[in-house]
Amino acid sequence: MSITGKSAAVVNFSEAKGSVEIREISIPEIGEEDILLEVENVGVCGSDLHQWTSDHSWPVNYPVVLGHEFGGRIAVVGDRVTGWKVGDRVVSETAAVINPQNPMSKVGLYNLDPTRKGFGYGVNGAMTRFVRVPARCLHRVPDGLSFEEACLTEPCSVAYNAVAVNSHIKPGDRVIVIGPGTIGILCAAVAKICGGDVAILGLEKDRGRMEIAKSYGVTPIVNDASEWARKTDGLGADLIIDAAGISDTLKIAMDLVRPNGQITKVGWGPTPCNFSLDSLVQKNVRLQGSFSHNWPIWEKVIGLLSSGTLDVKPIIGGVWPITEWREAFEKMHSGEVVKSVLKPV
Ligand SMILES: [Zn+2]
């Protein structure tokens, strides 16, 4: 069976700033190992905004349909796909194209396969009604979990990888998250689940988003976290999660971390830094990058979402039809909402 026709899509059509518009695109044909997904909801990611404003640092395969945080129902199943049927409720991982022979893929870290291509920049993403998805990317969504929440499995998995996999966190650890965007707030929420005493650092303009962070039991701090970092024994926080979208915040992280502590950098930006890394050495600090996520992380996160242990409802600022993508993008870009969610038309 196949489905033919056209549907509206949010398309990023060139490198130039602001090159996003609604276009009618053909419903994709699928391969033998793919399924065709009918999208229910798709989250807007900071990276979608970066491609819109053209300040991204990754290669984009223009024109491309945006959107990599999505869930929906299986509409068509490829001939060689087993274990899935039409109507199944699923979310999809983001690594749309990987090389299974790459040594990183072979150890299950296909998110670190340098040839990996993701939805929304490498191949067409989900800000449209139908998207082609390799069956290996799928995870089942339990009935009790709404698609509006389930589509945020992806950013939750980014946070889970940064905090629970790539950082060593113990109950009682004092943790500071830099940057109250979606990833920052979710990192703070995961650090709380891990038993941390958690603060989140932002700027004056972030106050609205910091209020939302408070609903996760996180202490909001505006501008300077030095006092909070040093308030127990004067030495600094055990773990700093740097989730700001620039590289310069590493300097703040190096200042706030205690000797023998850890910094995990999950936020990134292409501008080079202009400061010394000496305190990293002098304090014997471990600096860890964190990128993307893989299969076991998704399974854990879906479990946390469906049990209610991790609740994404506080960060969802609204749901817009994809034809109103601009308003959804602008509200997130200005920081008025933490996360915008779209619905295909
Ligand atoms: Zn994302």
Side-chain angles (χ1 to χ4, degrees):
M1 197 191 100
S2 69
I3 297 178
T4 53
K6 291 199 173 260
S7 61
V10 181
V11 177
N12 181 199
F13 54 88
S14 89
E15 180 88 52
K17 199 173 158 63
S19 297
V20 171
E21 66 184 14
I22 292 285
R23 288 185 180 178
E24 289 287 317
I25 62 157
S26 297
I27 292 170
E29 286 184 18
I30 62 166
E32 290 182 320
E33 293 181 349
D34 302 325
I35 60 102
L36 187 68
L37 185 76
E38 181 162 18
V39 179
E40 283 286 336
N41 284 107
V42 49
V44 179
C45 179
S47 64
D48 297 311
L49 301 180
H50 283 304
Q51 282 176 229
W52 172 47
T53 54
S54 201
D55 52 1
H56 56 285
S57 46
W58 50 91
V60 178
N61 193 10
Y62 300 109
V64 74
V65 178
L66 291 173
H68 60 268
E69 304 176 355
F70 61 103
R73 288 187 177 79
I74 295 179
V76 181
V77 179
D79 291 341
R80 289 178 57 201
V81 172
T82 54
W84 299 103
K85 62 179 190 310
V86 170
D88 282 350
R89 302 174 84 241
V90 294
V91 285
S92 168
E93 292 186 33
T94 52
V97 179
I98 57 166
N99 172 7
Q101 300 309 321
N102 185 279
M104 297 316 294
S105 303
K106 283 188 180 270
V107 295
L109 294 173
Y110 49 84
N111 52 319
L112 304 179
D113 167 5
T115 66
R116 164 193 184 275
K117 286 195 180 81
F119 291 106
Y121 69 90
V123 304
N124 278 341
M127 289 186 186
T128 185
R129 210 168 138 212
F130 292 98
V131 60
R132 166 188 170 159
V133 177
R136 66 170 169 79
C137 292
L138 299 175
H139 294 262
R140 203 170 297 280
V141 175
D143 284 341
L145 184 62
S146 76
F147 282 117
E148 285 172 15
E149 295 163 80
C151 75
L152 302 186
T153 307
E154 198 274 335
C156 292
S157 296
V158 171
Y160 189 101
N161 195 18
V163 176
V165 180
N166 280 323
S167 305
H168 293 159
I169 182 169
K170 294 183 292 297
D173 276 357
R174 305 188 75 250
V175 181
I176 298 175
V177 177
I178 303 174
T182 301
I183 298 300
I185 292 174
L186 292 174
C187 283
V190 175
K192 282 296 288 187
I193 294 168
C194 293
D197 180 7
V198 186
I200 191 161
L201 174 63
L203 302 171
E204 194 60 47
K205 69 177 171 68
D206 301 323
R207 276 198 193 271
R209 297 191 291 183
M210 307 277 271
E211 276 305 306
I212 291 167
K214 257 163 86 175
S215 68
Y216 291 97
V218 169
T219 306
I221 299 171
V222 173
N223 289 335
D224 184 3
S226 313
E227 203 184 312
W228 191 91
R230 291 176 176 82
K231 88 176 168 199
T232 50
D233 60 4
L235 288 174
D238 298 282
L239 169 65
I240 313 294
I241 305 281
D242 184 352
I246 52 173
S247 294
D248 260 357
T249 42
L250 180 59
K251 191 172 199 306
I252 299 170
M254 289 192 305
D255 178 51
L256 297 174
V257 72
R258 69 191 287 108
N260 209 34
Q262 189 187 350
I263 299 169
T264 298
K265 194 141 181 45
V266 61
W268 55 345
T271 312
C273 299
N274 186 27
F275 51 81
S276 163
L277 298 182
D278 281 359
S279 74
L280 207 61
V281 178
Q282 193 176 30
K283 285 180 164 180
N284 199 98
V285 165
R286 176 177 154 201
L287 176 61
Q288 169 78 47
S290 187
F291 180 72
S292 194
H293 31 65
N294 62 354
W295 195 90
I297 294 173
W298 279 67
E299 288 293 303
K300 295 275 193 222
V301 166
I302 291 169
L304 291 171
L305 290 173
S306 47
S307 67
T309 308
L310 179 58
D311 182 6
V312 291
K313 286 192 285 296
I315 64 165
I316 299 175
V319 181
W320 287 264
I322 58 161
T323 42
E324 286 165 40
W325 66 272
R326 186 179 292 276
E327 184 181 320
F329 277 36
E330 275 168 357
K331 279 199 193 293
M332 224 174 112
H333 194 56
S334 69
E336 191 182 331
V337 307
V338 176
K339 174 63 79 179
S340 298
V341 171
L342 299 177
K343 183 153 184 74
V345 292

